Amino acid sequence: MAIFLKANWENIIMANYEIDPEILEPFLPKGVHLDLFDGKCYVSLVGFMFKNTKLFTIPIPFFGTFEEVNLRFYVYRKIGNEIRRGVVFIDETVPFPIVAWMANKLYNEHYTVVPTKHQINNKGKHQKIKFEWKTNKKWNSIFVENSKESKMMIEGSFEQFIYEHYYGYTKIDENKTEEYKLQHPSWKTSEVIDYKIDCDFEAMYGKAFSVLNYTKPEAVFIAEGSVVAIE
């Protein structure tokens, strides 16, 4: 596999919701299985900064830095004795049509285009980060206030389960799945002091996910991030 995309992913917020596995079955690519944590199935609403994007080592002028928001769930693929733990995206949202077109064309993902914006405030004792995206004339948002102190994730923790899935799987059709691999170090995380989520999941991701409008996240995490390469 060759590296076709490299970028900095920063301030990666994950709001994690337990969900009925049956809701995810129609989105499950062939050849992979739902990955559970303590017997529970999860989806994550994710917001982060995508910076200094390069395709095949070539910078993308004017469109290389942007906010991304996505909804993803967790899977694994077994090849002999090897377990490849990965994610499947329900949808990925970016502000630039050219970025969405390239991502959809190059690795068959599910990118859509909506207006986005963000606020990052590092003044004071804590950091405050807010990602916003507009759909159906409504601004949705995910906000986190977190400690400025970061630490390595604990082995076997829920945080580690959420962040350390290093493969991506895309359902091309009922019989075909595309696999790609992410390269990045284990990220440091910070304590979340407060959070607020305002998301119309049904409007964003379809009726199947309307239950999340009335579900409290089991946990909300934030990681510093790093350079990420995609094979």
Side-chain angles (χ1 to χ4, degrees):
M1 290 188 287
I3 293 174
F4 78 90
L5 185 146
K6 184 177 282 189
N8 286 44
W9 292 8
E10 297 180 3
N11 294 315
I12 306 157
I13 299 173
M14 299 273 196
N16 310 293
Y17 298 81
E18 184 182 354
I19 196 168
D20 185 341
E22 290 188 3
I23 293 175
L24 301 179
E25 287 293 339
F27 303 93
L28 195 63
K30 186 175 182 178
V32 301
H33 310 277
L34 291 174
D35 197 4
L36 309 181
F37 184 80
D38 285 347
K40 296 179 180 179
C41 185
Y42 290 94
V43 294
S44 298
L45 178 66
V46 185
F48 66 100
M49 288 303 301
F50 215 114
K51 292 185 174 182
N52 304 320
T53 308
K54 296 180 180 179
L55 283 174
F56 303 107
T57 74
I58 302 171
I60 304 175
F62 309 112
F63 304 108
T65 296
F66 49 88
E67 304 87 354
E68 179 175 320
V69 176
N70 64 60
L71 187 69
R72 72 183 202 173
F73 64 94
Y74 302 89
V75 298
Y76 69 90
R77 178 187 180 201
K78 190 172 182 181
I79 305 176
N81 294 323
E82 180 188 3
I83 301 293
R84 295 184 176 180
R85 304 179 74 195
V87 301
V88 175
F89 293 99
I90 301 299
D91 182 77
E92 297 167 88
T93 296
V94 293
F96 300 132
I98 186 64
V99 173
W101 180 86
M102 285 190 295
N104 293 337
K105 193 75 173 177
L106 288 172
Y107 63 114
N108 296 300
E109 272 297 357
H110 307 294
Y111 274 82
T112 55
V113 181
V114 300
T116 63
K117 58 185 179 181
H118 73 278
Q119 301 171 28
I120 299 178
N121 185 345
N122 285 307
K123 296 178 181 178
K125 186 178 179 181
H126 300 144
Q127 176 177 248
K128 297 179 180 180
I129 300 174
K130 186 177 186 181
F131 296 109
E132 298 181 78
W133 62 101
K134 191 176 184 180
T135 183
N136 292 343
K137 299 181 180 180
K138 176 186 182 297
W139 281 99
N140 298 260
S141 63
I142 182 168
F143 164 83
V144 158
E145 180 179 354
N146 64 283
S147 168
K148 291 183 179 179
E149 296 181 8
S150 60
K151 61 185 186 308
M152 298 302 297
M153 288 180 279
I154 297 172
E155 189 72 24
S157 66
F158 187 30
E159 273 186 323
Q160 188 183 58
F161 172 84
I162 291 296
Y163 281 109
E164 298 201 348
H165 280 69
Y166 289 100
Y167 286 85
Y169 294 97
T170 304
K171 185 176 183 178
I172 306 301
D173 56 38
E174 293 302 319
N175 296 303
K176 187 177 181 182
T177 299
E178 187 160 294
E179 177 189 81
Y180 54 92
K181 185 178 181 180
L182 285 77
Q183 297 181 0
H184 65 78
S186 182
W187 291 327
K188 290 184 177 181
T189 60
S190 300
E191 180 187 2
V192 172
I193 309 299
D194 193 16
Y195 72 86
K196 184 176 181 180
I197 298 163
D198 182 6
C199 177
D200 187 339
F201 286 93
E202 182 174 358
M204 283 292 298
Y205 305 112
K207 190 173 182 180
F209 297 96
S210 61
V211 64
L212 298 180
N213 286 344
Y214 315 101
T215 304
K216 182 179 178 181
E218 187 153 319
V220 178
F221 303 134
I222 184 167
E224 289 180 340
S226 68
V227 174
V228 176
I230 299 178
E231 296 182 0

